[in-house]
Amino acid sequence: MSEFVFATAQYESGDWDSAPLVPANVIDSVARYTSLAVAPTGVIVSLGSPDLLRYPLVFLTGHLPVRFSQAESRMLGELIGRGGMLFVDDHNHDVDGVFHRTAIEEIARVAGPLNDLPNDHPLYSAYFHFTGGPPTTSHELNGWGDNLVHKHLQAVQREGRIAVLYSSKDYSSEWNYHPETKRFNSVDNTRFAVNLVVYALTR
Amino acid sequence: MNARARVSATRQQLSAAVIAASLGWGLAVAMTLLLLTALGDLAFELPYELRAAARGVAIFMGVAATLVTAFRSRGAWRLGSVALWLEENAPTLNYALVTLILDAGGSTEALEDHVARVDWRAPLRRRIGRGTVTPLLVATLATGAFLLLPTNALTRVRSPRPDDGFLAPRGPGESSDPFHPLQVRIIPPAYSGLAGRTLQDPLAVAALQGSRLQIEGHASAETLTAGVGDSSLRVSTNGDRWTISLPMPARPRVLTLTTGTRHRLLTLEPEPDSIPQVHLLLPSRDTARRDLTGVVQLDARARDDFGLESAWFEYIISSGEGENFTFRSGVISRRSGDNKQSLGITTALSLDSLRLAGGNVIHVRAVARDRNTSTGPGLAASETRTIRILRPDEGDSVSVDAMAPAQGDSSLLSQRMLLLLTESLQRRRPRLRRDTVIEESRAIARDQSALRRRVADVIFMRLGGEGSAEESEGAEGESELTPEALMRAASDTAMANGGKPLDFSEDESPVVALNRPLLEAYNAMWDAGRELEIGEPGRAIPHMRAALEAIQHARQAERLYLRGQPKPVVVDLARVRLAGKLTDANPAGTGPRVTGGETTGRLLDRFTAVLELLPDERAVDSLTVLRIDALDTAPGFAQALAPAIANLRAGRDATESLVQARRLLAGPAATTTGLPSWSGAP
């Protein structure tokens, strides 16, 4: 069995590299809590490249408007059609922001409309149990951005599994710190990332 | 009978023939049109509007043909014209008849005698025959063919109705199959402009999404049921016909018709209305510019399969950096599509009006909407182009991303200048001494060499290298690096930068894919430099031109602002999983906390086991018992358990008090002489 490689999507239109420490943090958590074979470093994969299809879970974030090129739309459709999962997080922590508006527009165009994901979805119990749904982030609790605590994540589901997961909670900021500093947290706020990985690999 | 009486009789015969021919042509034209309409209807199921119009057109054209024919033969009504026609067709008259009829003088008796001797019945019969047989034959054939068509086809043309179809009434001897014949009438959505059509006994119905389907057949509607999937459809009757009306579903479905023990399946296959195709022609690529004013030309083309409603340009201006971004957006040059299938929009985007600042990024795209009012509207957008406004201080620091435009521009000017110098030297060469040629040629070669090193710098900087391999290896003014060595060194630099390169095509190495134009320029400069060194400026010129062209290509082919590659963080998995070597672990060889002896350890085990029971009510009882047991040996722990038990009984969150109790039981954190070698996260 090949090891899990955390992939960050590089797309043409925006600042795809705005959360460079998220991959390391997710990998750290996957290694810390699970026995999954995991690569020690993530990769950056072009959304319009066939290499995208090598990765079961692809992470996409940014602040700026998201406009997929034709090649990116085509490869993203391929990824979803083959059972891959795209996790999109609004780094702009702003529900009415341009990232949000353009990203959901592009996702709807490529994969279909986003719907609220129920808080008892198997994603929230794929490894750790999050009975209240998606964990809140400090950006939400501090009232930054849209000044909302988003009760749900949104998703496009295909045949009962999540194909595209969309978050307005700004996990990109929440998880964008060096894993060495994780020891100072009373509660590891990246545990939800383990659920994402386990869900993407098992469903 | 005198000559005038004979001519008068002839005129009557000709007039009758003209009337017959006119009526014959009129009937022939009208019936031919009706026949063609009926045949077209049989083949293509013409819509009601066309059939109704065809009937009126046929009548009009028939009347017109009659009048035209009669007008063209108007000479048959006049005696003089008839006499002239007779003179023309019976030359033996020798103008005697015309002279008599027109009363032009001469001996009347002699003329009468002459005319009486001439018999013109033969040409008259030929004229009447030729003039009437053809139109009457055509009219007879067209009418006969028309009447031979099926009754319902005749009815649809003769008396068209909006709801008529080809479904023929069942004859007394026909099959009693309730689903035969079956007729499906497809009424496309109005916006499509498509004509309705009727299918006879189809197995599958393919139609545009949003079309309405009317399915008709013969059966008792009381026993007939129809359904698509789990939903049933209403069946209405009209005489001996049943009718089902339903919209074309969004996805392929099977329509099931059932009556008694018989059933029939009909596949409904929706054909989606494609969304428009939009292409942004200008700007053709992303770009960066320093000036905040000026005009950017925008040009786009949109196409749709049925017709466009409108098209426009959208722009978003993002300002800021890091975590603070603001956005403005707008729409310009909205243009109505006028139901055209293709539409071009062009405008000039004035940067002055956008109040731009350094660091702003303008995202431009074209958007088009079709006229799909049924399942749409279909909205489509082109690819997005970005125009970045450079910050004033951008380029002042070495820490900024490599800026290809600035490097490329300066290289371009220098290369062009060197080329001009070389061409000038080549022109003057016949008048110069060989020593002078070599001296000037080598001077140009030195500049060419310096320029080549700058190109190498650009290649290395974009690959993330810290400096030019040429600079580090060669002496000032002298290059020791061959093109092959440069590629190897560049490749080593790219791979040593950690991880895979960002993106490159499959068939090329990352170095070549990313820097192909610049490497071509580099190689050409190398060749040019060699020729210049040996005093052969003429042979260097082709290489210099190739270098200039490659630099221009590099400017046009690539995005002008490349982002740097973030330095990857490599997670030490063994360390995170506490699976490192013993020598790497804490020298003390103990856990991170100091336990309080055997009794405390037992309490900790019991406490941990009780926590596993949460949120079961049994956990509360177990905690109560545990608290009682701990009152003697661990009073602090017992005291901390009290609020936890109270919270749990009240249904409140007891996490904090349980954590505090556990910390008391686990003891203080261990202290070691050095830093722990693992992070200690839970």
Side-chain angles (χ1 to χ4, degrees):
Chain A
M1 187 179 74
S2 60
E3 60 188 7
F4 168 72
V5 181
F6 187 86
T8 302
Q10 177 198 14
Y11 53 98
E12 291 191 6
S13 64
D15 54 342
W16 57 270
D17 52 352
S18 61
L21 292 174
V22 166
N25 230 334
V26 174
I27 292 165
D28 179 275
S29 290
V30 171
R32 188 179 297 272
Y33 300 117
T34 76
S35 57
L36 289 171
V38 56
T41 182
V43 297
I44 295 159
V45 59
S46 169
L47 208 53
S49 158
D51 291 345
L52 184 74
L53 304 180
R54 296 179 186 171
Y55 307 105
L57 174 65
V58 178
F59 172 60
L60 187 151
T61 188
H63 299 90
L64 298 172
V66 178
R67 300 293 188 201
F68 294 147
S69 67
Q70 290 179 359
E72 289 171 345
S73 299
R74 189 171 60 251
M75 292 315 301
L76 195 51
E78 280 277 309
L79 174 77
I80 293 168
R82 295 186 183 195
M85 178 173 161
L86 176 72
F87 173 45
V88 183
D89 184 62
D90 181 0
H91 203 164
N92 222 20
H93 46 80
D94 185 355
V95 75
D96 288 324
V98 170
F99 180 94
H100 175 81
R101 184 161 58 81
T102 55
I104 62 171
E105 195 176 290
E106 292 296 298
I107 291 168
R109 188 166 63 84
V110 175
L114 287 162
N115 296 302
D116 281 350
L117 192 69
N119 285 347
D120 58 353
H121 190 273
L123 171 67
Y124 301 117
S125 56
Y127 195 79
F128 292 106
H129 287 259
F130 295 92
T131 53
T136 54
T137 62
S138 56
H139 286 78
E140 288 180 305
L141 297 175
N142 286 312
W144 294 341
D146 54 14
N147 202 17
L148 290 174
V149 175
H150 300 271
K151 292 182 178 176
H152 302 277
L153 299 185
Q154 293 178 299
V156 179
Q157 302 199 49
R158 292 271 177 89
E159 298 173 356
R161 69 182 302 281
I162 297 173
V164 179
L165 183 67
Y166 181 83
S167 155
S168 295
K169 301 177 84 69
D170 196 3
Y171 289 118
S172 304
S173 295
E174 190 78 354
W175 300 343
N176 191 32
Y177 57 90
H178 199 286
E180 286 293 321
T181 60
K182 192 179 285 186
R183 56 186 167 169
F184 299 116
N185 293 343
S186 60
V187 176
D188 184 358
N189 57 10
T190 62
R191 292 181 306 156
F192 182 56
V194 181
N195 281 44
L196 285 175
V197 173
V198 172
Y199 181 88
L201 296 181
T202 58
R203 301 301 171 107
Chain B
M1 185 180 286
N2 61 15
R4 183 172 291 275
R6 287 178 65 195
V7 173
S8 181
T10 300
R11 184 183 66 176
Q12 289 174 1
Q13 290 175 15
L14 283 173
S15 299
V18 167
I19 291 171
S22 301
L23 293 175
W25 278 124
L27 184 63
V29 168
M31 293 311 296
T32 303
L33 282 173
L34 289 175
L35 177 64
L36 292 175
T37 304
L39 291 174
D41 187 35
L42 278 173
F44 305 109
E45 186 74 10
L46 300 179
Y48 159 74
E49 294 78 9
L50 194 58
R51 286 179 284 124
R55 190 180 59 170
V57 169
I59 293 171
F60 173 79
M61 294 299 291
V63 172
T66 301
L67 295 176
V68 168
T69 308
F71 180 75
R72 291 183 60 186
S73 304
R74 59 188 180 279
W77 314 114
R78 294 192 296 271
L79 209 58
S81 300
V82 174
L84 280 172
W85 180 81
L86 287 172
E87 289 281 359
E88 181 183 351
N89 288 276
T92 53
L93 285 170
N94 288 330
Y95 303 103
L97 182 61
V98 174
T99 307
L100 273 175
I101 295 301
L102 299 181
D103 199 12
S107 171
T108 306
E109 290 78 14
L111 291 172
E112 285 284 356
D113 288 344
H114 184 76
V115 170
R117 285 197 297 273
V118 178
D119 182 6
W120 60 63
R121 285 177 296 180
L124 179 62
R125 278 198 300 273
R126 284 198 302 273
R127 174 68 181 86
I128 291 173
R130 278 204 310 269
T132 55
V133 167
T134 303
L136 292 177
L137 185 63
V138 173
T140 305
L141 289 176
T143 307
F146 182 71
L147 294 175
L148 286 175
L149 292 173
T151 309
N152 58 340
L154 283 181
T155 307
R156 280 169 55 82
V157 175
R158 197 172 52 209
S159 309
R161 287 184 294 114
D163 59 343
D164 56 2
F166 272 113
L167 191 66
R170 190 197 306 277
E174 291 186 40
S175 163
S176 60
D177 184 349
F179 302 122
H180 181 81
L182 189 75
Q183 173 182 289
V184 180
R185 175 156 178 74
I186 302 168
I187 306 168
Y191 79 85
S192 68
L194 295 175
R197 56 197 169 98
T198 302
L199 306 176
Q200 301 294 328
D201 282 325
L203 291 173
V205 178
L208 185 65
Q209 249 183 336
S211 298
R212 178 148 285 277
L213 308 179
Q214 287 181 345
I215 304 165
E216 287 185 11
H218 290 291
S220 170
E222 295 167 358
T223 61
L224 180 73
T225 58
V228 176
D230 296 332
S231 59
S232 59
L233 299 170
R234 193 174 73 85
V235 182
S236 58
T237 55
N238 180 14
D240 67 335
R241 296 179 182 181
W242 55 263
T243 306
I244 298 168
S245 180
L246 75 160
M248 177 58 87
R251 295 190 171 194
R253 290 281 187 271
V254 174
L255 170 68
T256 308
L257 302 169
T258 309
T259 176
T261 57
R262 312 185 74 154
H263 70 276
R264 175 161 175 173
L265 304 180
L266 195 62
T267 309
L268 306 180
E269 301 172 3
E271 295 171 343
D273 176 6
S274 300
I275 61 172
Q277 300 287 319
V278 190
H279 299 285
L280 185 61
L281 305 178
L282 286 177
S284 57
R285 62 182 68 86
D286 294 353
T287 187
R289 52 190 298 159
R290 287 199 176 276
D291 47 343
L292 306 176
T293 60
V295 166
V296 175
Q297 289 294 332
L298 305 180
D299 186 13
R301 292 285 181 277
R303 290 182 185 278
D304 188 65
D305 44 1
F306 290 109
L308 292 159
E309 192 266 336
S310 58
W312 62 91
F313 290 107
E314 278 183 4
Y315 68 84
I316 298 172
I317 302 170
S318 56
S319 316
E321 57 186 329
E323 291 287 318
N324 298 307
F325 282 95
T326 57
F327 302 94
R328 290 178 284 146
S329 59
V331 171
I332 53 174
S333 190
R334 185 186 289 271
R335 186 176 164 192
S336 170
D338 297 330
N339 200 23
K340 293 177 184 170
Q341 288 185 308
S342 177
L343 179 67
I345 49 174
T346 305
T347 191
L349 177 64
S350 169
L351 300 183
D352 307 63
S353 63
L354 298 178
R355 303 187 308 280
L356 297 171
N360 287 177
V361 182
I362 310 168
H363 307 253
V364 183
R365 67 174 185 171
V367 185
R369 180 160 55 202
D370 66 15
R371 295 178 64 252
N372 184 351
T373 54
S374 177
T375 57
L379 192 67
S382 69
E383 294 205 344
T384 301
R385 302 268 186 269
T386 60
I387 303 161
R388 195 165 73 96
I389 307 298
L390 300 179
R391 286 186 291 272
D393 58 347
E394 203 158 319
D396 293 349
S397 167
V398 292
S399 65
V400 299
D401 298 338
M403 291 299 295
Q407 296 282 1
D409 282 344
S410 67
S411 299
L412 173 68
L413 289 174
S414 299
Q415 185 62 31
R416 189 182 297 280
M417 191 170 65
L418 291 177
L419 178 59
L420 292 174
L421 287 172
T422 309
E423 288 173 342
S424 171
L425 175 62
Q426 181 64 13
R427 281 194 300 274
R428 291 185 289 115
R429 186 176 178 179
R431 301 190 300 274
L432 299 177
R433 292 176 53 198
R434 177 65 183 163
D435 294 346
T436 309
V437 171
I438 291 174
E439 184 181 348
E440 291 193 16
S441 179
R442 284 183 176 170
I444 298 173
R446 283 193 292 276
D447 290 337
Q448 182 69 81
S449 177
L451 182 58
R452 192 182 69 240
R453 285 198 300 278
R454 294 192 60 187
V455 172
D457 285 344
V458 174
I459 296 172
F460 271 85
M461 285 171 66
R462 289 166 45 174
L463 289 172
E466 294 180 355
S468 163
E470 277 206 57
E471 292 288 357
S472 58
E473 294 189 12
E476 182 66 28
E478 292 293 325
S479 168
E480 300 297 327
L481 206 56
T482 64
E484 294 76 15
L486 172 74
M487 284 185 61
R488 276 200 307 277
S491 180
D492 292 343
T493 303
M495 304 318 274
N497 199 34
K500 295 172 64 177
L502 301 183
D503 186 18
F504 50 87
S505 59
E506 292 179 352
D507 300 333
E508 293 180 315
S509 76
V511 175
V512 174
L514 191 61
N515 296 284
R516 172 174 286 285
L518 288 179
L519 283 170
E520 286 175 4
Y522 184 88
N523 289 343
M525 290 179 182
W526 180 269
D527 293 335
R530 265 203 307 262
E531 301 293 349
L532 291 168
E533 282 289 346
I534 60 174
E536 290 294 344
R539 297 208 302 241
I541 287 173
H543 299 301
M544 299 177 82
R545 284 179 178 153
L548 179 60
E549 190 177 348
I551 290 173
Q552 286 175 319
H553 181 63
R555 289 182 64 236
Q556 294 169 356
E558 300 172 20
R559 291 182 176 277
L560 300 181
Y561 48 98
L562 301 174
R563 292 193 179 85
Q565 188 173 0
K567 192 173 182 180
V569 176
V570 180
V571 178
D572 187 345
L573 296 177
R575 183 177 165 200
V576 170
R577 285 179 163 156
L578 308 181
K581 296 175 184 174
L582 189 61
T583 52
D584 295 337
N586 189 342
T590 61
R593 293 189 184 275
V594 178
T595 56
E598 188 179 349
T599 306
T600 308
R602 280 201 302 271
L603 285 174
L604 184 59
D605 291 341
R606 286 177 62 189
F607 182 65
T608 305
V610 171
L611 291 181
E612 294 291 325
L613 296 175
L614 284 172
D616 196 310
E617 287 183 4
R618 290 176 300 166
V620 182
D621 296 336
S622 299
L623 281 176
T624 307
V625 174
L626 182 61
R627 180 172 177 273
I628 292 168
D629 293 342
L631 280 172
D632 292 336
T633 55
F637 171 63
Q639 187 179 355
L641 272 184
I645 294 168
N647 285 335
L648 286 171
R649 285 196 188 282
R652 295 191 295 268
D653 183 16
T655 307
E656 192 173 343
S657 47
L658 285 171
V659 168
Q660 188 180 359
R662 192 183 187 287
R663 282 179 181 158
L664 285 169
L665 203 58
T671 56
T672 61
T673 54
L675 288 171
S677 58
W678 58 286
S679 62

